[in-house]
Amino acid sequence: MYLSSGCQQPVYMAQALFHTHIFQQLQEELLLLQGLRAPLDAELQDTGLGIINQSFPHHAFPVGAVHELMSSCPEDAAATTGFIAGILGTLMRSRSCLWVSRHRNIFPPALSIFGITPDQVLFVEAPDPKMALWAIEEGLKCETLAAVVGEVQELGFTASRRLQLAVEKSRVTGFIHHRTGRVAGNLACVSRWRIKPVASAPPEGLPGVGFPCWNVELCKIRNGRPGTWKVQWTPQGFYVLPEKKIRQEVIIKKAG
């Protein structure tokens, strides 16, 4: 009996490794069909999102894909813009970005807080929604750009599919800031986010306003895990607040 079980154990281990390999291979093929291939070494840039990266396929922020970030009021829109700028600061270390909008609502010098030199950004003010979508799609086809930010109020599935197909060839990362108060429909983007501002925590012993702080909700992500986090911006980049610290702050506020 001892000899028999000892001989079978390596066989079981080999079968388990074989099944794991097959499963990983099928998962890679599925991700590839969905426009999410494994990032190359040159694309593996740490966006500073910390534990949020565990929610993404391959445990890295998906580059070469289109992300949708929704906002329904000016406060949420400002928080969303700040969050996008924080990620752009990492992606644009050696390349430029195209920023398409209908109206001038960005103060370029303020982007330097997020590590972006304003002259690295090409701002486009589109006269109408159709021209805005055209400029976004053409920008996403341009392989020399690091990313494209597009601010839109309406985006259908067909249009989002065109944007996703564009980046699958160029490997440019797209951020669609979807400003709408309507119920979100299905789009071809690989992820959907909602960013809301929360009260900042001033540095200990210092009066005034602290660093920007956001409630970051990853609503949907292909082959990933949605989640919600409290994220603060610091001079070193993103800082995901520990859950214990958040609970303690809530308890202190209730006690007060």
Side-chain angles (χ1 to χ4, degrees):
M1 293 293 290
Y2 175 78
L3 290 176
S4 176
S5 59
C7 293
Q8 290 178 354
Q9 187 174 8
V11 175
Y12 291 146
M13 292 179 64
Q15 288 178 341
L17 290 174
F18 176 75
H19 290 155
T20 301
H21 175 71
I22 293 295
F23 176 76
Q24 290 177 346
Q25 190 174 13
L26 290 174
Q27 192 174 40
E28 291 293 333
E29 292 177 359
L30 182 62
L31 288 171
L32 190 61
L33 290 173
Q34 294 180 337
L36 284 171
R37 65 165 171 76
L40 303 174
D41 290 342
E43 297 174 341
L44 284 174
Q45 303 176 52
D46 184 9
T47 53
L49 291 173
I51 60 172
I52 300 179
N53 287 319
Q54 300 300 317
S55 295
F56 303 135
H58 310 296
H59 293 173
F61 182 82
V63 295
V66 177
H67 303 268
E68 179 196 19
L69 297 98
M70 302 193 67
S71 66
S72 56
C73 64
E75 293 81 7
D76 293 355
T80 302
T81 300
F83 184 74
I84 293 174
I87 299 176
L88 279 180
T90 302
L91 300 180
M92 291 176 53
R93 285 173 179 168
S94 59
R95 290 185 289 173
S96 301
C97 164
L98 180 69
W99 198 304
V100 182
S101 62
R102 291 286 316 284
H103 308 285
R104 297 180 186 179
N105 49 25
I106 298 294
F107 182 58
L111 295 175
S112 60
I113 298 174
F114 300 99
I116 299 174
T117 305
D119 59 9
Q120 282 183 280
V121 184
L122 177 62
F123 294 97
V124 173
E125 188 176 344
D128 56 62
K130 186 176 180 180
M131 289 299 295
L133 274 176
W134 178 84
I136 294 168
E137 183 178 352
E138 292 303 308
L140 290 173
K141 294 177 181 176
C142 185
E143 298 178 359
T144 57
L145 292 173
V148 173
V149 180
E151 300 180 18
V152 298
Q153 292 184 330
E154 298 290 340
L155 185 66
F157 180 83
T158 302
S160 66
R161 181 60 180 157
R162 289 174 61 90
L163 302 181
Q164 180 62 31
L165 287 174
V167 300
E168 289 176 10
K169 294 181 180 178
S170 66
R171 305 304 300 161
V172 177
T173 304
F175 298 92
I176 301 300
H177 186 174
H178 195 180
R179 299 181 178 219
T180 179
R182 298 182 181 179
V183 177
N186 290 325
L187 298 180
C189 303
V190 300
S191 70
R192 171 174 288 164
W193 303 72
R194 284 188 184 276
I195 316 297
K196 293 182 177 295
V198 296
S200 61
E204 294 183 5
L206 295 176
V209 180
F211 297 112
C213 196
W214 309 297
N215 183 78
V216 175
E217 181 182 4
L218 179 57
C219 308
K220 294 195 298 185
I221 175 72
R222 287 183 193 170
N223 284 287
R225 292 178 301 173
T228 304
W229 304 268
K230 290 288 188 304
V231 179
Q232 179 176 285
W233 181 259
T234 71
Q236 290 74 40
F238 290 115
Y239 173 63
V240 182
L241 295 174
E243 191 174 353
K244 289 183 178 178
K245 185 175 181 179
I246 296 171
R247 288 179 178 176
Q248 287 176 352
E249 290 178 352
V250 173
I251 293 172
I252 290 171
K253 285 182 179 178
K254 286 184 177 179

